[in-house]
Amino acid sequence: MRSWVSSFIEYVADQLKHAIAAELSPLSVRRLVAFKGHRSAPCDADSSERIDMALAQDCQSLGSVENVEAPEYANAVALIEVRQCPSEQNRAYWQLAQRTQTLHSTQLNRRFAWGLTVCGTHVRACLFGNDDILASEVMDVATESGRKQLVTLLVNWAMCESQRLGYDSTIRYNGETGQWEIDVWDNESRVTHAYIHERTLFDTSSQFGRRTRCFIASAKENSGKQPVQKVLIKDAWAPTEFPGSEVVRDELSNLRTIRDKLGADDTLAGTYSHLEAGGVVQQMHTKQRTADDTTVSIFADIDASVLEDVPARIHRRVATTPVGEQLKSVRSVDELIVVVGDVMAAHTAIVRRCGILHRDLSTNNIMFCHDDDGMVRGLLIDFDNAVLQSDLHDEQRLDQIGTFPYMSIGNLEQSSVKRTALDDWESLIYILCWLGTIGINRDDQTNVKIRSDLTICHWHDGSAANIAKAKRRTLQHSDLFGNEILACFAHPLLYANLARLILELRSQLFYNERLSRLARGCFDFEPKYSSIRKAKPRAHHLDCNIDISTVDPFARRAEFADAIVDDLLEVVQKYRKAALERIKDAQ
C-alpha cells in the first residue's frame, strides 16, 4: 500500500520537474515526496507515535526518494494515513487528526494543515481548520478521473505559495543564525516589530479553537549596548461575527486601554501585561501584497454552503512585557501569597480604572517575576476573555468562560446574575485550594499523589452542573470546607498561612457580615425553614434597601461587589505584607 502511494507522488514530482524544465519556465516549484513511516519516528515531538507517511519537500535536485533523509514532524508538509480498504476510513480520519495535532504543536510557523487519507484506492484530502476538518470527495485512483484529481492536487501543492500550504510568512527560520524570527505587526503605529524566538512557553494545546501559542522572544534590533528586552508573544485565532467585524472579546483593545490608563502608575508596574506591540497578522499573498490573516481568506475557494456552520476567525499576535515565570516555580508559600496580593491589586485597578473584567483567572494566567533585588512580584496575564463591564447587564445569560475547575458557581451554571469582580475572586479561592492540595511548586508537586476520592476532585471532573453543585455544598459550611478541603492540603503545617488566607477570603466573599443573612452562603434563602424576620436586612446592612423577595445570595452580593472587593483586597494585602516581611527576614 505505502509503496504505490510513495511511487505515485514521486512520479508526479518528477514529471512536473521535467515539464517545467522543458518550458524553460522561471517558476520555482517544490519537489514533494512521501516517506514511509518506519523511517519517520517523531523524535522531535512529545509523542511515541510514528507517522504513517509524511509528505515533505525534497531539497535535493537528484537522487531517488530512498536517498533522501526521512522527515520528522518538524519538516513535514502534510501527513498521510494509509489503510488497506475503504471501510477503514473513519479510523484513518481519527489517526490523521491525532497526528496532525502533533504537527501543529511542533511547527512554530503552522497556521493550518493539510493531510491525506488513503484507504485502498480511495484518496481524500483533508484540511484541518480551527473549528472543523474539511474532507474532499473520494478520489478513486483506480479510475482515470480519480488519478487526474490527485495529480491536480499534488501539482497545486507543489506550485502554490507556502501560505496556501498552511505556513506563516511572518514566522521564519533563519538558516544562517539557526534561529526563528517572529514578526509582530502593530496596528496602531503601522510598524512591524521583529523578534528572535528564544523558547516556546505554551504550544497549541488543541487542534481546534484559538490555537493559542506563547513564545518568549527578544528584540531583533539591538546594538548590544542596551540590555536585551524580552517579550512574551501571544499568537491566537480570535472569533469574529462576520468578516470585517470587531472581535467579540478584543484582547488587543483591552491591553491598549490598560496600558494607557495604568501605565503611569509605578505602584502597579510589572503586575499586568503591558502592551509593546500587537495587531492582526499580515500574510503575504500574491503580487507581494499583504492582507489580514483570517479563516475567511484561507477558505476563500471553498463553497460557502460548506462553511455555513464554521465560525470566522482572525489571527492576532501581541507582544507584552514583562516575561513572567509559571506559578509552579514559586519558592515558598510566602512568595505565592505576595504574588496573589500583587495580582489582585492589579485586577482591582483594571476593573475600577479601566472598566475591564478579566473573567478567566487560572493557574496559567497568574505568573510572577523576580525584581533585581530578588523580590517576587505577581503578574496578571491573558485578557483573551476579558470584557468591558459596561457590556454586562442584568438578566444576561453569558457563555461559560474560563477553566471549569476555577470557574465561579454562577459562571458554571450560566446564571443570569450579572458577572462582577466577585466571580474572579471566587476563582482565586479555587486556584489556591487546588495549589494547596497538589503542592504549590514543582518540588512539592513531585512528591504528592492526589487521591481520586478527595472532595476537591469533584471540582475538576464531571459536568459544569455537577461541579457547581459540589462547590456549593463544600463552601456552604465552614466545618465541611475545613475538613474536606483545607485538611487535605499537601503540607498542612507548611501551608498554614495559605489555609488561613483562604478561610478569610471565603468568609468575606460568602459570609460578609456587612450584608444580611439573605446575602450569605451558597444556596437560596428558604423562608419555610428559617425565620424571615431574623434574616430581614437591618439598617446597618449594605443590602437593607433590596427587596427581601430576592433570596439568591449571589444576586444580592453582586449589587455590592465594590464594597466586598474592598474587604477581600484588605485581606490579601494584610497577608501579603506579613509574607513580604518574612521573606525579607529570611534573606
Side-chain angles (χ1 to χ4, degrees):
M1 280 293 295
R2 292 170 180 80
S3 179
W4 81 255
V5 175
S6 178
S7 298
F8 188 98
I9 293 173
E10 184 182 5
Y11 174 79
V12 172
D14 288 341
Q15 291 302 309
L16 179 60
K17 176 184 176 181
H18 295 323
I20 295 292
E23 294 291 330
L24 300 177
S25 172
L27 289 174
S28 175
V29 179
R30 58 181 69 85
R31 184 173 188 266
L32 297 178
V33 290
F35 298 88
K36 298 178 182 179
H38 71 276
R39 301 180 61 203
S40 304
C43 59
D44 54 337
D46 293 332
S47 172
S48 58
E49 293 183 349
R50 287 178 175 269
I51 305 171
D52 201 4
M53 294 189 75
L55 189 68
Q57 183 171 350
D58 176 13
C59 296
Q60 299 186 17
S61 58
L62 299 173
S64 67
V65 64
E66 282 74 17
N67 293 328
V68 183
E69 183 182 355
E72 298 166 344
Y73 274 108
N75 52 25
V77 173
L79 303 184
I80 306 172
E81 193 65 29
V82 181
R83 288 288 181 270
Q84 290 292 329
C85 58
S87 63
E88 297 181 270
Q89 182 65 62
N90 288 338
R91 177 66 178 174
Y93 280 148
W94 187 86
Q95 288 281 13
L96 185 63
Q98 292 293 310
R99 290 164 183 170
T100 301
Q101 161 57 26
T102 305
L103 186 75
H104 273 293
S105 62
T106 304
Q107 297 184 358
L108 299 186
N109 60 338
R110 178 64 72 170
R111 296 157 55 234
F112 62 90
W114 291 94
L116 288 176
T117 61
V118 181
C119 298
T121 61
H122 289 187
V123 180
R124 281 184 169 89
C126 298
L127 177 59
F128 293 83
N130 292 75
D131 297 279
D132 209 346
I133 301 173
L134 304 178
S136 70
E137 297 293 331
V138 170
M139 295 175 279
D140 189 348
V141 294
T143 67
E144 181 180 354
S145 62
R147 291 191 295 273
K148 182 178 180 180
Q149 288 175 319
L150 181 55
V151 168
T152 301
L153 175 66
L154 294 173
V155 169
N156 283 337
W157 280 354
M159 301 183 68
C160 70
E161 305 92 333
S162 62
Q163 292 88 333
R164 289 180 176 268
L165 290 175
Y167 292 110
D168 191 333
S169 62
T170 65
I171 301 180
R172 304 167 302 280
Y173 184 75
N174 188 324
E176 295 182 2
T177 63
Q179 296 173 312
W180 286 92
E181 298 177 359
I182 304 174
D183 291 341
V184 179
W185 166 255
D186 187 73
N187 284 4
E188 198 171 40
S189 64
R190 313 298 293 177
V191 172
T192 297
H193 299 257
Y195 297 95
I196 302 297
H197 172 271
E198 294 193 2
R199 65 185 176 95
T200 300
L201 194 59
F202 299 112
D203 61 28
T204 177
S205 59
S206 172
Q207 185 161 280
F208 301 109
R210 291 176 178 268
R211 287 191 191 148
T212 301
R213 289 182 168 106
C214 289
F215 311 117
I216 294 177
S218 55
K220 183 179 179 181
E221 301 296 334
N222 191 283
S223 63
K225 298 179 181 179
Q226 300 292 330
V228 176
Q229 182 190 42
K230 294 185 185 295
V231 299
L232 177 67
I233 296 178
K234 179 180 175 182
D235 183 281
W237 291 79
T240 64
E241 292 183 332
F242 50 88
S245 73
E246 290 296 318
V247 177
V248 176
R249 296 183 290 271
D250 193 340
E251 181 180 31
L252 183 58
S253 176
N254 290 334
L255 288 173
R256 285 199 179 111
T257 299
I258 294 168
R259 179 194 62 191
D260 294 344
K261 293 192 175 183
L262 301 184
D265 190 340
D266 292 339
T267 63
L268 295 171
T271 62
Y272 59 87
S273 295
H274 182 276
L275 180 66
E276 299 293 338
V280 179
V281 174
Q282 302 294 296
Q283 286 298 329
M284 185 68 71
H285 290 284
T286 55
K287 299 181 180 179
Q288 298 300 303
R289 293 179 180 177
T290 61
D292 290 352
D293 195 17
T294 66
T295 53
V296 173
S297 61
I298 291 172
F299 297 144
D301 298 328
I302 298 177
D303 192 308
S305 62
V306 176
L307 304 172
E308 186 175 351
D309 296 324
V310 179
R313 291 181 179 272
I314 190 165
H315 190 186
R316 288 178 177 262
R317 189 175 297 151
V318 297
T320 61
T321 55
V323 173
E325 298 180 58
Q326 291 177 282
L327 205 52
K328 59 187 175 182
S329 297
V330 294
R331 295 177 290 203
S332 66
V333 166
D334 284 334
E335 280 202 347
L336 176 60
I337 292 173
V338 172
V339 169
V340 168
D342 290 339
V343 163
M344 297 317 293
H347 179 278
T348 302
I350 290 168
V351 169
R352 292 179 173 175
R353 294 160 60 180
C354 305
I356 295 170
L357 188 61
H358 191 281
R359 299 199 306 164
D360 189 18
L361 290 195
S362 71
T363 52
N364 287 333
N365 296 337
I366 297 176
M367 305 185 79
F368 72 95
C369 305
H370 281 108
D371 295 336
D372 293 338
D373 59 2
M375 296 307 295
V376 69
R377 180 179 288 265
L379 172 63
L380 179 61
I381 68 166
D382 195 355
F383 290 81
D384 235 1
N385 290 313
V387 294
L388 295 175
Q389 279 194 303
S390 57
D391 290 342
L392 303 177
H393 54 79
D394 294 330
E395 305 303 322
Q396 180 182 34
R397 191 169 295 277
L398 298 173
D399 294 337
Q400 290 172 330
I401 296 298
T403 310
F404 268 18
Y406 312 127
M407 279 186 189
S408 68
I409 292 169
N411 195 356
L412 286 164
E413 295 176 342
Q414 292 184 277
S415 161
S416 60
V417 175
K418 182 174 63 176
R419 300 291 184 270
T420 69
L422 298 184
D423 290 275
D424 285 348
W425 281 91
E426 187 179 334
S427 294
L428 177 66
I429 292 176
Y430 303 137
I431 292 169
L432 296 180
C433 286
W434 182 244
L435 290 176
T437 304
I438 68 170
I440 63 166
N441 55 32
R442 287 188 182 90
D443 291 339
D444 289 357
Q445 290 170 11
T446 301
N447 301 316
V448 172
K449 290 185 178 180
I450 305 299
R451 302 197 325 266
S452 60
D453 62 334
L454 290 180
T455 296
I456 199 169
C457 292
H458 298 304
W459 296 1
H460 286 247
D461 301 321
S463 66
N466 286 336
I467 292 174
K469 184 178 179 181
K471 288 179 176 180
R472 282 184 186 269
R473 170 189 169 274
T474 311
L475 288 161
Q476 178 70 12
H477 303 289
S478 58
D479 289 344
L480 195 64
F481 184 70
N483 293 333
E484 296 191 6
I485 301 296
L486 303 183
C488 298
F489 275 10
H491 302 285
L493 293 179
L494 289 176
Y495 293 1
N497 286 324
L498 178 62
R500 294 188 190 101
L501 169 60
I502 294 170
L503 271 176
E504 287 200 39
L505 290 175
R506 171 190 170 275
S507 176
Q508 293 294 346
L509 180 56
F510 295 105
Y511 288 90
N512 195 298
E513 293 184 356
R514 294 207 283 164
L515 298 168
S516 72
R517 286 174 56 191
L518 290 173
R520 301 177 194 173
C522 299
F523 292 96
D524 288 1
F525 187 82
E526 299 183 26
K528 64 180 180 179
Y529 295 121
S530 306
S531 170
I532 192 69
R533 182 178 58 81
K534 291 182 180 180
K536 185 177 180 180
R538 302 296 185 236
H540 66 279
H541 288 135
L542 293 175
D543 58 329
C544 63
N545 293 321
I546 295 183
D547 195 307
I548 60 172
S549 64
T550 302
V551 294
D552 181 354
F554 290 93
R556 297 184 76 92
R557 289 196 292 264
E559 295 296 322
F560 304 97
D562 281 348
I564 298 174
V565 166
D566 285 339
D567 296 338
L568 292 164
L569 193 59
E570 183 179 346
V571 170
V572 295
Q573 292 307 316
K574 177 182 69 175
Y575 276 83
R576 178 190 182 278
K577 181 179 179 181
L580 205 54
E581 290 175 353
R582 288 192 293 271
I583 292 173
K584 290 178 179 178
D585 290 342
Q587 289 182 335

